[in-house]
Amino acid sequence: MVARFSPDVRVNVGVVGATGLVGSMMRQLLAERNFPVGTLRLFASARSAGSQVEWNGQQITIEDASTADYAGLDIVFFSAGGSTSKALAPKVAAAGAIVIDNSSAWRSDPEVPLVVSEVNPHALANLPKGIVANPNCTTMAAMPVLKPLHEAAGLKRLIVATYQAVSGGGMEGIDVLARQQEAVTDRARELAFHGDGEFVPAPEKWAVPIANNIVPLNYVLGEDGYTEEELKLRDESRKILEIPGLPVSGTCVRVPVFTGHGLSINAEFERDIDVQTALGLLVRAPGVVVSDVPNALEATGADPVFVGRVRPDRTVDHGLALFVVGDNLRKGAALNAIQIGEVLCGR
Ligand code: A2P
């Protein structure tokens, strides 16, 4: 049994990290999608506690997540960073709620299912810790596309290069790009009038400036010189698609785009799959739209992921090359979490 709540009852919902980018999107989607909310409680750090936000015509006071009493809640969405989830999710689950966590804290725990709502909702049948993990925003975009191709032809190896938006780094990512873009634009205007010289903004948040640039070192280095983001792509793809040991080589790159993660994917399969067959499967795949030129602006604000540029990859016996884009805040984070909640509510 995957559903935990009857479709005709209302559930008491919490959002931890409710003032952040993803938390705000969660609030919006709960209202937009008519999630069966009984009461909604919102939590953030002590900095925001006591402030009020409007939701569905009500004023809700933000509570301090670290001192709140979570009794009476049925489903609590978390998007407040890994350390907050690590510390608080077990406490909230022990108080009786199912936690749906957007951070990386629980994704590799064998007792925590890692779920994409269209791809492996069956994994929700077993919740030994009362916690469900929501995948990384980059991995997420690829899963609804790769799942039907894997079922048809058996995925054997993945090579992925990403083009990731700054909002994947929260409000801070947006602020850094906006500030640097403004500085670069002002300086370009000055140079047009006054002559020579390059202008390079100081790096903030990422190793090198993000405005007018691309950043091929996305956060922290891990195993074999791969970044943590690249290792998440490997490990999370294996867990969600249920292909232990799937070889995955990722190159995760931050680009000066506010929202919408792009992925250039080369997928090798066990068996032959031609472009027409792949497109036929993708047109019917839930949560997927086939597009001539999938791009970040098209994906922004949209629920599905967009896939296109599907070509044979003739560097291997049975291969496809394709391009995928998804809204990293919607399907990549808040939307999938809410959809997991909907599955638990029998919707
Ligand atoms: P606050 O606004 O009070 O700092 P983003 O990823 O967009 O930056 O958002 C992060 C979210 O996580 C915000 O809602 C932020 O609250 C919340 N947050 C950050 N640190 C903590 C913490 N220690 N406990 C609870 N919530 C936190």
Side-chain angles (χ1 to χ4, degrees):
M1 240 328 244
V2 169
R4 296 293 170 117
F5 306 98
S6 156
D8 45 14
V9 302
R10 300 207 153 260
V11 291
N12 296 325
V13 174
V15 178
V16 176
T19 52
L21 262 190
V22 173
S24 304
M25 181 65 75
M26 287 169 165
R27 287 192 264 128
Q28 184 186 323
L29 291 171
L30 286 169
E32 216 174 276
R33 297 173 67 86
N34 284 318
F35 196 90
V37 177
T39 53
L40 179 67
R41 289 173 60 196
L42 303 176
F43 308 89
S45 78
R47 293 180 290 276
S48 309
S51 59
Q52 292 212 316
V53 296
E54 199 264 354
W55 184 79
N56 235 5
Q58 315 163 34
Q59 290 296 321
I60 301 182
T61 303
I62 305 282
E63 301 177 54
D64 180 346
S66 61
T67 56
D69 175 0
Y70 291 88
L73 287 168
D74 300 306
I75 295 180
V76 178
F77 298 96
F78 268 68
S79 192
S83 54
T84 303
S85 292
K86 201 89 204 166
L88 271 185
K91 178 180 158 186
V92 174
I98 293 178
V99 169
I100 301 174
D101 180 39
N102 187 50
S103 80
S104 60
W106 300 96
R107 290 179 192 147
S108 58
D109 187 321
E111 292 189 309
V112 173
L114 179 64
V115 175
V116 178
S117 62
E118 305 89 342
V119 174
N120 61 336
H122 54 269
L124 292 169
N126 190 17
L127 300 177
K129 288 194 168 153
I131 302 174
V132 184
N134 202 40
N136 172 269
C137 44
T138 309
T139 311
M140 185 92 71
M143 294 299 105
V145 168
L146 291 174
K147 170 73 175 182
L149 303 180
H150 169 55
E151 278 176 346
L155 191 59
K156 194 173 160 191
R157 183 173 77 130
L158 276 180
I159 297 174
V160 181
T162 72
Y163 303 74
Q164 293 178 229
V166 294
S167 56
M171 214 75 98
E172 190 196 354
I174 291 196
D175 289 344
V176 168
L177 175 59
R179 198 165 44 239
Q180 291 186 359
Q181 260 181 359
E182 204 177 326
V184 168
T185 310
D186 288 350
R187 183 65 179 148
R189 278 200 200 97
E190 263 175 48
L191 290 174
F193 289 113
H194 304 299
D196 57 55
E198 285 282 321
F199 174 68
V200 179
E204 294 164 87
K205 189 168 174 73
W206 292 288
V208 294
I210 181 74
N212 263 7
N213 209 1
I214 54 168
V215 183
L217 178 65
N218 208 344
Y219 302 121
V220 189
L221 282 174
E223 198 184 311
D224 275 348
Y226 281 79
T227 63
E228 283 182 358
E229 188 86 354
E230 290 156 356
L231 297 170
K232 282 178 197 169
L233 180 68
R234 179 192 72 185
D235 297 342
E236 295 182 22
S237 298
R238 288 174 176 174
K239 187 167 174 179
I240 296 161
L241 295 170
E242 297 164 355
I243 317 176
L246 177 72
V248 179
S249 176
T251 303
C252 289
V253 180
R254 200 63 77 166
V255 295
V257 162
F258 284 105
T259 301
H261 284 2
L263 293 85
S264 167
I265 300 176
N266 291 74
E268 181 182 0
F269 298 92
E270 302 282 354
R271 301 178 291 282
D272 197 27
I273 179 165
D274 62 33
V275 169
Q276 281 319 312
T277 306
L279 285 171
L281 292 167
L282 293 172
V283 161
R284 291 195 300 277
V288 175
V289 168
V290 174
S291 167
D292 288 339
V293 188
N295 65 91
L297 292 177
E298 174 180 48
T300 300
D303 286 350
V305 297
F306 295 78
V307 60
R309 302 288 329 279
V310 183
R311 294 150 284 156
D313 175 351
R314 300 202 197 281
T315 65
V316 292
D317 286 341
H318 311 297
L320 289 173
L322 37 95
F323 200 84
V324 175
V325 184
D327 182 322
N328 51 296
L329 300 175
R330 282 196 169 237
K331 186 60 190 173
L335 174 64
N336 190 66
I338 302 295
Q339 287 171 319
I340 291 172
E342 289 171 350
V343 175
L344 293 173
C345 291
R347 294 192 149 195

